[in-house]
Amino acid sequence: MSVSRDEVDLVCVLPVLEKNIVIVGKLQLVPFAQDLCKNGMDFLRKGVATGNSSTDVRGADVVLLASLEADGIFPSLITNWHLRKLLVKSKLEILGSYADATEGLTTHGWITKIENHGCFVRFYNGVQGFAPRSELGLDPGCEISSMYHVEQVVKCRVTSSNPTSRRINLSFTTSSRVFSNELVKPGNVVSGVVERVTPDAIILDVTAQGHFKGTISPQHLADHSGEDHPLNPSQLILLFLPLEGHAELMKSALRPGYEFDQLLVLDVEGSNLILSAKHSLVTSAQQLPLDVNQVHLNSVLHGYICNIIESGIFIRYLGRLTGFSPRNKATDDRRSSLSEVYHIGQSVRTNIIDVSRETSRITVSLKQSICCSTDASFIQEYFLVEEKIAKLQSVDSGSSDLRWVEQFNVGSTVKGKVHEIKEFGVVVNFQKYDDVFGFISHYQLSGLPVETGSSIRTAVLDVSRIERLVDLSLKPAFVNKSKKETTNSQAQKVVSLPSYNNTLGYASRADYNTQNLLPKSFTNGESVIATVMALPSPSTSGRLLLLLKSISEAIETSNSKRAKRKSGYNVGSLVQAEITEIRPLELRLKFGSSFHGRVHITEASDDNYAEAPFSNFKFGQTLTARIISKLNMSESVKRGYQWELSIKPSTLTGSDEIEPVKKFSYSTGQLVSGFVYKVDKEWAWLTISRDVKAQLYILNSSSEPSELDEFQERFSVGRAFSGYVLRFNKEKKLVRLISQPLLVDPETACQGDGPTDHSSESVAFHIHEGSVLGGRISKILPGVGGLLVQIDPHLYGKVHFTELTDPGVADPLSGYHEGQFVKCKVLEIAQSGKGTVHIDLSLRSISHRTQKEKLSALNDTVNFPVLVEKIEDLHPKMMVQAYVKNVTPKGCFVTLSRKVDAKVLLSNLSDGYVENLEKEFPVGKLVIGRVVSVEPLSKRVEITLRTSSAVGAPKSDKDALSNLTVGDVISGRVKRVEPYGLFITVDHTNLVGLCHVSEISDDRVDNIDSRHKAGDRVTAKILKVDKERHRISLGMKNSYINDATSGETYTRPSSGYVVNGDALSIGLESTSSPESSSQGREDLDGESVDGKDLFLAEVESRASIPPLEVPLDDTENLDMGDVFNQNSGDATNFGTSDDKNQKHVAKKAKRLREQEIRAAEERLLEKDIPRDEDEFEKLVRSSPNSSFVWIKYMAFVLSLADVEKARSIAERALRTINVREELEKLNVWVAYFNLENEYGNPPEEAVAKVFQRALQYCDPKKVHFALLGMYERTEQHKLTDELLNKMVKKFKHSCKVWLRRIQWLLKQNQDGVQSVVNRALLSLPAHKHINFITQTAILEFKCGVPDRGRSLFEKMLREYPKRTDLWSVYLDQEIRLGDADVIRALFERAITLSLPPKKMKFLFKKYLEYEKTLGDDERMEAVKRKAMEYVESSLA
């Protein structure tokens, strides 16, 4: 290797690490070289090349080449250094400038970029070149990236260069491209056998001298590409051109082994041939040029489009020879878009208008007027390819028999039976061929009557082998061969020749260059001029082929424009028009000299009430119409007509002066009519006039579920409908309709911006109490939550559990499912906050009036249980029916109606012993009971489910208690076991006593559950009787029993005593955690029957949460990290430090301590429940820092309806609680939020003021979470959304905040999750990304779209494939969904990882446990085998 003066001013040899490092660069690099030689390295200046001499550097081990374009001292300004051992050892000539790039030069370079069309190669001094795909030496169907990569050193050859434009073309094949001596060259016609079919190409073995592979791109399988104009729906059944082009159909039908007999070699890439099966290219192979010298002016050549740009089109011939058609030479109509008229791969005919042999540029024209076909090759290719496709399809389907075609020769007559009569024609089937159908258009019926099932004799006009369809005619002219007739097909015209016994001929309506354009339209019976181009023969598929004279005409000539301008038709003129097409919503007419117009369906009659106004019209019928408007040129080209006509009787009989279109003048409540023009599952779109459209939502179309189920069938296209205007949009000329009249004053109705305004306020005014609506079940709420029913596009109502069915149904939810249509009645409409609408609905068939009459007829002796609407309807001893709402250890709560709930004490649940409350009284169970007490002011109701007549006899209960004395030994049965003792029912009474854990045995009792169970028989001694509080203390120690003065146990005969035990055990629910409600609570039995403590029982009711009864620590309970940590399982234990464990233990201990303190506070309240303000004052003075006590004090004064007093207590609590007790203060703030949300005026402003104050004293993040929790519980969706938007801006570095935002979007079924994820990743610190993305994926699996969750997991696993915690969480989510195939595939991926044995053990163990849950023994054994194989491979 040598370096010349042109390339270098300095050569330095540095002995570094026993290697010679040669630096080649400019003199300015000397300081850098000296710097490298410090610390004992000798600097040797080899010398500066002078004259034509050069310095040899081949002995170097590494060469550092400094870019000659960089000046200055390293490292600030030197930009490119390359360490290339292959370059150093290269003995090829160096390419250091564009001038040195001579054709044929072979040198080394390195790849800098790879594109689909080739590779960019870099040389020294910034010189670079490009190697096209064809010069890379790739095998057929091979991708570039599979053979080459960036930075790879390659040997390449210069094929051409242009130093002026700094361009170099390269080839990775060292031999030059010559065709003269090769076996195959472009322009040859060869044959080949399909080897395989790929999505992008067909690979063939070419039959030629030598071994060659060939490829055909899908576009080169046929001239007909299928890019035709939109099809007319009314003619679909008779179309012989498939919806897919011949090229696509051919590709889908090809199978390995198929032989192409004629293929044109377009180009040669090494040993690979680029081939084409286009008929136009194969038949004109001799005329196609390979070199610019073979091109002659004004000649017409076949080619294909290889690229389309805005300024023109590139047409390829053979090899690399390419012509260019400028935009003004590409089409006759310059206004057309090139991409709409042409497509890449399209076969075209080109007229050569300029040839420059110096620049090798060819300019061509594609105008149809000068490039039109002169033969019938276009339609001939169509029939030939159709025949090939039909044969391939028949072989593929296993029925290779195409002999049925022989029975349907064109022009022959066949017998068939009428299968079906449709609006666009008649379908005929044939006895011998069940899968072949015929079609007779209305025109070809010739007015002859036909009936379904009748036999007819018809003439064959055309046959489609692909679709197995036959075009037929009943006209005597064809059946008897005596008249002149013509019929249309989409792909070609079928023409009869009257001078030749009505022989049928075929002519194409399109040409090579006009495949994508709307072809000229013809009417049945129209005379045309055509030239016979080919007689029937096998090459024409037995057809007579013609060439229409009109094929050479442009779309619209200047003469036709002038003729139109000179026409005498004006708006208001009456015309005689012929019907050329009947569509569901319009008539297409033709009048005058090829003028086209339409009659819109609203212009067919004076009113829009008539069904099917076009049903009395027929094809070819002549009628009188009046021109009412004229479209501009752009609109007429787009729509295919220029005139708007009307056949309304009032318009025809009126004056010639047409009134201008009326302004948009619709009002709310107005009755309008229109016709359906589009319908989907949710909406029907109607046309009211030519310019005004209307929308009808499915739920507004009817209130009957059966009709809603048949929405699309009822509103078929063309159906008339009358409805009432709900809203309108003048700008869009759009109206929203409903089927029922509005019962509100239209002038007072809310007017918005149109149907697109979907706020609740703007659409709820047409819904009022008592309305009967159609609805759709959106969600089945858990428990006794009822149903969420959609009644408008963005409006939902709630159906209470008691409003699902008529009274007395045991399972009201049976028979309902999500998505089901229902008929519902509006019971109540209420607004909260700034207008959130709450609607209560009912699905019951019984009327409220009937219900009230039944209630009023009841008296104390009536035992008929009913559902009540209001608490005022209740009275003691009244029989009612209810549904269990929730169950607690002290009893249960039941719902009587949507506004009335009641409690049932444990002692009143049953006459007998209830061992398992949840099992005996599941949520949703229908129960019948009797009212014990009613307090209308406090809205508290108590009922009993006991059937004993002694219910409500407190006096006898007191007598039973008074008969008990301390020291008596009683026998009884264990009723309930608690950690702090046993509740024992005294035999022959309904009294319950408590034996404390310390009184059970003389020895220490560590586990009560191991000694006693509910239902055990026991003997105990009475230690204490508190008659005022109705409490009995018992002892079971052996010393008590043995020391008893009497050996007889105390017994009482059954005398109707009432169970009042467990009443006081209905204490305060723990507000911190579910566990604290059952830990360390000393519940004593007995009940205050005077109702003083009912407000404490209300705390237990979760049926309607009181405003202050919220979890005290519910400020940031969405700890998504816990979800991740729990799901990760054992995988997260790898490498866990002791410090983390210690922190976790300390945190858990602190949490347990807080729960114990809170439980102790609850026990204090239960032992001595405050009954007035003085007792509460005493309690808060003893526990000034307890938020629990303060909040109970607030709840007490609220029960007395003293809201201001509750506010003052909240303020006192905030002033009194120690500033260090931030959590206690926060609990009070949360209670304050709930107070103002319920009683503030207005609530939103009152809450906002308290919120701003709370931010000054507590952690802002926790305060925001607390307010967010309140908004979510009270379903204030708008405020929730606004607060979340503020939080993600204020706490953008908080992972929990972003996750709450995503969780909210998923719960509300809103879009935009991906954008929020992207924003979060930009805002969150990098170390939080893994946790955030993982938890987002979990949320997608649980609340959103599982596929999005999978995408997130897959993205993480691509970056961190060895994170077993990610694998574990991913697997858990898939296991939860339950798709066994997906789960097993994921496990198989996981166990193929290369991980430490401990992690692999975890994965195999998890896999085996999953298979065990499925119970598949074979798969369990398979997992075990794979685990053993892993162990053996690891040991090896």
Side-chain angles (χ1 to χ4, degrees), residues 32 183 344 387 389 513 523 796 846 942 1019-1020 1071 1073 1123 1366 1387 1411:
F32 163 65
L183 299 174
I344 295 177
E387 187 173 348
I389 295 172
N513 295 13
T523 59
Y796 296 80
I846 186 172
E942 181 182 346
T1019 302
T1071 55
S1073 67
V1123 177
L1366 295 177
F1387 269 119
E1411 293 296 352

Side-chain angles (χ1 to χ4, degrees), residues 62-219:
V62 178
V63 177
L64 299 180
L65 297 175
S67 173
L68 297 184
E69 298 171 355
D71 295 317
I73 300 175
F74 183 87
S76 60
L77 296 177
I78 296 178
T79 58
N80 295 313
W81 291 86
H82 302 285
L83 284 78
R84 316 245 177 237
K85 192 168 183 179
L86 286 176
L87 295 178
V88 173
K89 295 183 178 181
S90 174
K91 297 182 180 180
L92 299 177
E93 187 174 349
I94 289 178
L95 180 58
S97 67
Y98 287 97
D100 294 338
T102 59
E103 186 174 351
L105 173 68
T106 303
T107 183
H108 277 108
W110 61 94
I111 298 174
T112 59
K113 189 177 182 182
I114 296 177
E115 300 285 354
N116 291 332
H117 54 285
C119 298
F120 292 89
V121 182
R122 190 74 175 268
F123 304 98
Y124 303 115
N125 299 342
V127 177
Q128 71 175 8
F130 177 74
R133 182 185 181 93
S134 59
E135 297 291 349
L136 299 182
L138 298 175
D139 293 330
C142 182
E143 294 295 330
I144 300 178
S145 57
S146 64
M147 293 190 63
Y148 302 101
H149 59 84
V150 176
E151 299 297 332
Q152 179 179 347
V153 177
V154 293
K155 183 179 179 181
C156 48
R157 174 175 54 85
V158 177
T159 58
S160 64
S161 66
N162 189 334
T164 305
S165 59
R166 300 168 67 89
R167 291 184 179 179
I168 301 176
N169 293 325
L170 305 170
S171 174
F172 288 1
T173 57
T174 55
S175 58
S176 302
R177 281 174 55 90
V178 292
F179 304 116
S180 57
N181 297 324
E182 292 181 359
L183 299 174
V184 183
K185 62 181 181 180
N188 289 158
V189 177
V190 298
S191 60
V193 179
V194 176
E195 179 180 296
R196 68 180 186 274
V197 179
T198 67
D200 300 323
I202 293 89
I203 313 301
L204 302 96
D205 282 324
V206 178
T207 306
Q209 298 179 2
H211 178 70
F212 292 95
K213 293 288 185 180
T215 58
I216 306 177
S217 64
Q219 298 100 332

Side-chain angles (χ1 to χ4, degrees), residues 888-893 903-909 942 976 980 983 1031 1060-1070 1077 1081-1088 1093-1101 1162 1165-1166 1169 1192:
T888 69
K890 296 99 183 160
C892 68
F893 291 90
K903 70 174 182 179
V904 184
L905 298 179
L906 183 65
S907 57
N908 289 332
L909 282 175
E942 181 182 346
R976 192 169 76 252
Y980 46 83
F983 288 98
R1031 294 181 179 177
N1060 278 321
D1062 283 356
L1064 281 182
S1065 66
I1066 304 180
L1068 296 178
E1069 284 282 328
S1070 170
S1077 63
R1081 180 177 298 178
E1082 298 180 8
D1083 291 343
L1084 298 180
D1085 289 3
E1087 167 66 357
S1088 176
D1093 302 326
L1094 288 175
F1095 82 95
L1096 289 176
E1098 184 70 16
V1099 176
E1100 291 251 335
S1101 173
E1162 295 181 33
L1165 280 179
E1166 291 182 23
I1169 301 172
K1192 289 302 174 185

Side-chain angles (χ1 to χ4, degrees), residues 165-406:
S165 59
R166 300 168 67 89
R167 291 184 179 179
I168 301 176
N169 293 325
L170 305 170
S171 174
F172 288 1
T173 57
T174 55
S175 58
S176 302
R177 281 174 55 90
V178 292
F179 304 116
S180 57
N181 297 324
E182 292 181 359
L183 299 174
V184 183
K185 62 181 181 180
N188 289 158
V189 177
V190 298
S191 60
V193 179
V194 176
E195 179 180 296
R196 68 180 186 274
V197 179
T198 67
D200 300 323
I202 293 89
I203 313 301
L204 302 96
D205 282 324
V206 178
T207 306
Q209 298 179 2
H211 178 70
F212 292 95
K213 293 288 185 180
T215 58
I216 306 177
S217 64
Q219 298 100 332
H220 278 272
L221 289 174
D223 286 316
H224 287 78
S225 57
E227 303 289 339
D228 296 274
H229 58 278
L231 304 175
N232 180 359
S234 66
Q235 294 179 335
L236 280 179
I237 195 154
L238 61 96
L239 298 184
F240 295 123
L241 179 62
L243 295 179
E244 293 182 282
H246 275 172
E248 285 298 321
L249 284 174
M250 189 74 175
K251 179 176 177 294
S252 63
L254 281 176
R255 296 292 182 271
Y258 178 77
E259 182 176 2
F260 286 92
D261 53 354
Q262 285 190 321
L263 296 171
L264 177 67
V265 180
L266 296 177
D267 200 3
V268 181
E269 296 180 355
S271 60
N272 182 46
L273 306 180
I274 307 301
L275 306 171
S276 175
K278 288 180 178 288
H279 183 264
S280 60
L281 298 180
V282 173
T283 55
S284 60
Q286 299 297 327
Q287 291 78 35
L288 294 180
L290 178 61
D291 185 77
V292 68
N293 295 319
Q294 299 175 1
V295 180
H296 305 288
L297 279 176
N298 300 321
S299 61
V300 177
L301 301 174
H302 283 277
Y304 63 94
I305 296 175
C306 61
N307 195 16
I308 299 175
I309 59 177
E310 186 176 354
S311 59
I313 300 175
F314 293 91
I315 297 91
R316 182 70 56 84
Y317 300 103
L318 294 179
R320 303 288 187 277
L321 187 62
T322 305
F324 180 75
S325 177
R327 183 183 182 88
N328 61 346
K329 300 294 184 181
T331 61
D332 293 282
D333 186 4
R334 298 185 182 182
R335 296 168 300 176
S336 301
S337 172
L338 296 182
S339 59
E340 294 177 356
V341 179
Y342 299 101
H343 62 270
I344 295 177
Q346 179 179 342
S347 302
V348 292
R349 285 172 58 87
T350 62
N351 184 276
I352 310 299
I353 57 177
D354 187 35
V355 180
S356 175
R357 289 176 172 78
E358 292 75 20
T359 59
S360 299
R361 292 185 176 179
I362 305 171
T363 305
V364 303
S365 173
L366 298 177
K367 291 184 177 181
Q368 176 66 12
S369 55
I370 60 176
C371 297
C372 60
S373 294
T374 57
D375 56 23
S377 61
F378 187 68
I379 191 172
Q380 180 181 3
E381 190 265 356
Y382 176 89
F383 290 121
L384 290 175
V385 175
E386 182 194 42
E387 187 173 348
K388 291 180 181 179
I389 295 172
K391 290 181 179 179
L392 285 170
Q393 289 179 343
S394 63
V395 171
D396 193 37
S397 62
S399 59
S400 58
D401 187 9
L402 286 177
R403 287 177 294 178
W404 66 271
V405 180
E406 300 174 0

Side-chain angles (χ1 to χ4, degrees), residues 572-576 599 603-606 617 623-628 645-656 658:
S573 300
L574 283 175
V575 297
Q576 295 295 317
V599 175
E603 296 293 335
S605 60
D606 289 321
F617 296 101
L623 48 79
T624 302
R626 188 180 294 277
I627 300 175
I628 55 176
L645 306 172
S646 175
I647 56 175
K648 288 183 178 181
S650 59
T651 303
L652 297 178
T653 58
S655 62
D656 293 345
I658 301 298

Side-chain angles (χ1 to χ4, degrees), residues 160 612 664 696 844 959 998 1200 1217 1304:
S160 64
F664 190 92
L696 175 66
R844 291 161 54 186
D959 293 340
S998 61
L1200 303 178
I1217 297 176
W1304 172 254

